[in-house]
Amino acid sequence: MSNASTARFSRRGLLAAGGALGLGAVLTACGDDDAKSGGSDATGSGASKSGPWTFKDDRGTTVKLDEVPTNIVAFTGVAAALFDYGIEVKGVFGPTKTTDGKADVQAGDMDVSKLTIFGNKFDSFNVEQYAAFQPEVLISTTFDEAGTLWYVPEASKDKIAKLAPSVAVSVYDRQMPKPLQRMAELAESLGADMKATKVVEAKQKFEAAAERLRKAAKARPEIRVLAGSAAQDVFYVSGSNFSIDLEYFKALGVNIVEPPEEAKKATGGWFETLSWENVDKYPADVIIMDDRASTIQPADITEATWKQLPAVKAGQVIARSPEPILSYDKCTPLLDNLAEAIEKAKKVG
């Protein structure tokens, strides 16, 4: 992405293209009390659940249907999370397949060949195909206090809204456990068995991983962790503000490298944009890199300044999922991998 093209991107577009580490970077605003408090009117559980369905989402909107929806359309990452709870989503939008036709990282364990995909890229959503699909509900995440539905195009959002009610799970300015809880509540309302051994064990493993990360951070407070994302002409450094993973890591004691607020001002406080010449601005011992397909992965970075970073030379670079799949099963490795990196890290920055 050239500097010129970056300037032409809307802030939401820059986010989706991989530039925004914190993901909601471009949807600047402060969360209100209702959005922060969550809360659910979700009712019922069990795969055989039938009858009226009610769910209060993180916008404070209550969706009511005569029957539990089965013809569900969701943002790919949301669909992947529900899949881990045994809820099948038939239609998706958002990064689902890579250019070679394989499953995108955000598709999780879903068989993407069986999905109806209404748009695989940002600002791509086939409204006519969506209408013909006869959706009962649309589910996405939201990265701002206004409840903007992630990956629903601004230009066609009103048409889309008329075809089915929507549900939003907020991933704005809160720590990871909260949206994980909300996604679990949503899955339960749709018929997931929350007492299933797999589900119970997944949550237990997440809690154990969180404790491991807490202990690692406490034992190695000197290890500085930088959250980065690579584009063709620039490198992005995210602060912990607003991102559900980084806020949680920091709360667990991880020493997150924090760009000053003034440096993040242009992005609403989410991240700082650096030239590759200045990629060494912040000393770091461990670098966690954006794993989305829209970004350049560490193995493909050719910039000499990157290769000379102490953490890179020491092999202390791991993946980060700025848009984590919100199931305990998928978030546990994020905690374990960071804990292991901190436990084994050499002080190099």
Side-chain angles (χ1 to χ4, degrees):
M1 183 190 305
S2 69
N3 289 333
S5 62
T6 298
R8 290 195 298 270
F9 263 78
S10 69
R11 287 185 174 183
R12 280 184 89 232
L14 176 60
L15 170 71
L21 275 275
L23 292 209
V26 286
L27 307 175
T28 59
C30 298
D32 59 8
D33 291 339
D34 288 340
K36 288 178 181 290
S37 64
S40 171
D41 285 344
T43 58
S45 64
S48 61
K49 183 188 173 192
S50 61
W53 180 73
T54 300
F55 189 83
K56 184 176 181 180
D57 75 0
D58 290 338
R59 300 170 299 184
T61 299
T62 299
V63 177
K64 297 181 179 181
L65 298 175
D66 293 337
E67 299 287 341
V68 177
T70 57
N71 213 32
I72 302 168
V73 173
F75 173 69
T76 302
V78 170
L82 293 175
F83 181 86
D84 286 348
Y85 289 109
I87 303 300
E88 179 184 4
V89 174
K90 300 176 181 178
V92 298
F93 56 96
T96 307
K97 293 182 178 180
T98 58
T99 53
D100 59 3
K102 296 180 180 179
D104 188 275
V105 65
Q106 295 190 63
D109 295 331
M110 294 188 298
D111 183 346
V112 296
S113 68
K114 296 181 179 180
L115 298 172
T116 298
I117 303 172
F118 301 106
N120 198 63
K121 298 180 180 180
F122 190 73
D123 264 349
S124 173
F125 195 114
N126 190 320
V127 180
E128 290 73 20
Q129 183 187 22
Y130 178 67
F133 189 78
Q134 296 184 320
E136 295 173 284
V137 67
L138 179 148
I139 309 172
S140 190
T141 49
T142 181
F143 288 90
D144 64 6
E145 67 171 334
T148 305
L149 294 172
W150 188 230
Y151 264 78
V152 172
E154 183 71 22
S156 55
K157 66 177 184 179
D158 292 339
K159 292 180 180 179
I160 293 169
K162 292 178 181 178
L163 297 170
S166 63
V167 166
V169 175
S170 179
V171 288
Y172 174 73
D173 195 18
R174 57 193 59 198
Q175 296 174 23
M176 187 181 286
K178 185 60 179 180
L180 279 172
Q181 175 188 339
R182 295 293 286 134
M183 190 64 70
E185 291 170 355
L186 175 59
E188 183 176 21
S189 80
L190 294 168
D193 180 3
M194 307 311 288
K195 295 182 180 179
T197 300
K198 178 182 177 181
V199 174
V200 173
E201 290 182 349
K203 186 173 183 180
Q204 291 173 342
K205 289 178 180 178
F206 175 83
E207 292 169 347
E211 184 58 26
R212 179 186 179 185
L213 181 54
R214 187 193 306 275
K215 290 180 178 179
K218 184 177 181 179
R220 304 293 307 278
E222 77 280 8
I223 299 301
R224 293 165 294 189
V225 177
L226 182 146
S229 184
Q232 180 178 339
D233 297 325
V234 292
F235 184 83
Y236 305 94
V237 178
S238 179
S240 62
N241 287 356
F242 309 134
S243 300
I244 62 170
D245 61 334
L246 299 184
E247 283 199 4
Y248 190 43
F249 297 162
K250 187 172 183 178
L252 291 172
V254 176
N255 184 359
I256 301 290
V257 173
E258 299 279 5
E261 292 304 314
E262 184 62 29
K264 299 182 294 180
K265 187 175 181 179
T267 63
W270 287 79
F271 64 95
E272 178 180 2
T273 304
L274 300 176
S275 66
W276 281 105
E277 290 76 13
N278 294 318
V279 73
D280 60 353
K281 180 176 180 180
Y282 300 107
D285 304 292
V286 172
I287 301 175
I288 54 177
M289 288 291 289
D290 190 336
D291 68 354
R292 291 174 296 166
S294 55
T295 67
I296 301 175
Q297 296 306 298
D300 299 319
I301 299 175
T302 59
E303 300 290 340
T305 47
W306 164 262
K307 294 181 178 180
Q308 291 303 310
L309 292 177
V312 175
K313 294 173 71 174
Q316 295 176 177
V317 179
I318 65 171
R320 174 201 172 203
S321 297
E323 292 183 70
I325 294 171
L326 295 173
S327 70
Y328 293 106
D329 181 69
K330 293 300 183 293
C331 286
T332 295
L334 306 181
L335 303 181
D336 274 331
N337 291 344
L338 181 55
E340 181 179 11
I342 292 173
E343 290 163 354
K344 295 181 177 180
K346 297 177 181 179
K347 182 66 179 174
V348 296

